[in-house]
Structure formats: structure tokens, C-alpha cells
């Protein structure tokens, strides 16, 4: 799979909800193992009932099959997830590029323990603007706030 083999389309809840939830869960188990599987299972319910339905989500497809997605809350990347077996093949970069073209500027928060994601975002030119020692639920998982302008 190369970037030219990808298409990016808008999220379709009826067609995409379960597939994107599955991508989110497998990618989260891979990248956020430190959070714990039980907590990720609870968060998956919120992904399906709150976050995906309320965000502006774009889906990267390879041969018509979803392989990743980016969810935006205005210019904030609420989530960028690519199926673990498809990582490193250009889907994440294509999704960020698509979002940057739409918004002109992007920001996000990333767990600093997720070194792969931190390196990925820095490689795209994101710059750190702040850190906080806890996550959204007040748990001791440090987050870095990053920003990228077109």
C-alpha cells in the first residue's frame, strides 16, 4: 500500500462505526498498552456512542476497505488511528495532510509514553507547545500538546 493506493472519504456511521471502533481498539491496545485493556474497553463504548458520532471524521481506505481514520473537533485532532498491520504505509500521513488542507492548522494531545506517535508527529513538523502530567480523566499519564500550521 502506498499513498497513491489510498482514498480518503467522509465517515459514514452506518457503514463505518464498527470497523473504525475495531481499528481504534486494536491500535489503542498496541500504542496505549500502559493504559490497560479494561480502561480501553470502557473507552471503546464512548468512542462508538460519543466521539465518532460527534466528530468530523475522515476515513482512509485501501481498495475500498477502511484502514485508518482521523477525527477532528474543529482544528483539534481528537484521534488518529491506523490499523496496526497497516501502520508505516502512509495512511496516517495522508490523513493528517488531508486535515491540514481542510483546516490550515492542527493541534492534538499525545501520550508522551507513546514514543512511536510522538516521533510520527514530530516527523510531520508538529511542535510541542505544552505538557500536562495527567490525562483527561486525571490519571498519571503525561500528555504533550502539539501544533502544526500549513
Amino acid at each position: 500500500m502506498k499513498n497513491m493506493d489510498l482514498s480518503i472519504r467522509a465517515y459514514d456511521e452506518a457503514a463505518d462505526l464498527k470497523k473504525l471502533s475495531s481499528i481504534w481498539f486494536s491500535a489503542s491496545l498496541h500504542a496505549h498498552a500502559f493504559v490497560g485493556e479494561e480502561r480501553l474497553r470502557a473507552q471503546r463504548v464512548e468512542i462508538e456512542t460519543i466521539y465518532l458520532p460527534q466528530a468530523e471524521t475522515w476515513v482512509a481506505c485501501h481498495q475500498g476497505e477502511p484502514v485508518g481514520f482521523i477525527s477532528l473537533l474543529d482544528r483539534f485532532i481528537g484521534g488518529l488511528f491506523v490499523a496496526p498491520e497497516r501502520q508505516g504505509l502512509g495512511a496516517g500521513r495522508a490523513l493528517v495532510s488531508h486535515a491540514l488542507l481542510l483546516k490550515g492548522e492542527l493541534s492534538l494531545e499525545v501520550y508522551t509514553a507513546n514514543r512511536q506517535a510522538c516521533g510520527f508527529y514530530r516527523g510531520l513538523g508538529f511542535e510541542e507547545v505544552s505538557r500536562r502530567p495527567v490525562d483527561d480523566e486525571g490519571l498519571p499519564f503525561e500528555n504533550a500538546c502539539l501544533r502544526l500550521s500549513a
Side-chain angles (χ1 to χ4, degrees):
M1 179 176 78
K2 301 175 196 148
N3 276 346
M4 69 179 109
D5 297 332
L6 284 174
S7 61
I8 297 177
R9 62 167 174 76
Y11 170 70
D12 175 351
E13 185 170 359
D16 295 331
L17 179 65
K18 292 300 180 187
K19 179 63 178 176
L20 297 193
S21 172
S22 178
I23 289 171
W24 176 88
F25 189 66
S26 62
S28 293
L29 283 173
H30 179 74
H32 304 150
F34 55 88
V35 170
E37 185 173 342
E38 183 178 331
R39 184 166 177 232
L40 291 173
R41 287 191 185 283
Q43 288 177 345
R44 186 175 185 175
V45 173
E46 294 176 354
I47 293 297
E48 292 179 358
T49 60
I50 299 169
Y51 297 110
L52 281 172
Q54 292 181 4
E56 175 187 351
T57 298
W58 296 92
V59 182
C61 297
H62 178 249
Q63 298 179 345
E65 181 69 23
V67 297
F69 67 95
I70 191 168
S71 291
L72 304 169
L73 303 166
D74 192 27
R75 294 178 175 171
F76 184 81
I77 298 175
L80 172 64
F81 293 91
V82 175
E85 68 276 9
R86 301 295 184 108
Q87 291 178 5
L89 300 173
R93 288 180 182 277
L95 287 162
V96 170
S97 178
H98 181 78
L100 190 59
L101 283 172
L102 291 173
K103 305 297 181 179
E105 178 180 273
L106 298 170
S107 64
L108 60 89
E109 285 195 354
V110 62
Y111 288 119
T112 58
N114 185 350
R115 296 186 192 283
Q116 182 179 354
C118 290
F120 168 78
Y121 291 122
R122 287 195 178 95
L124 292 178
F126 279 83
E127 295 181 358
E128 185 173 325
V129 294
S130 65
R131 283 188 184 218
R132 60 187 174 114
V134 297
D135 67 8
D136 289 339
E137 295 177 24
L139 295 171
F141 301 115
E142 184 179 64
N143 277 264
C145 180
L146 308 177
R147 184 171 297 132
L148 176 67
S149 296

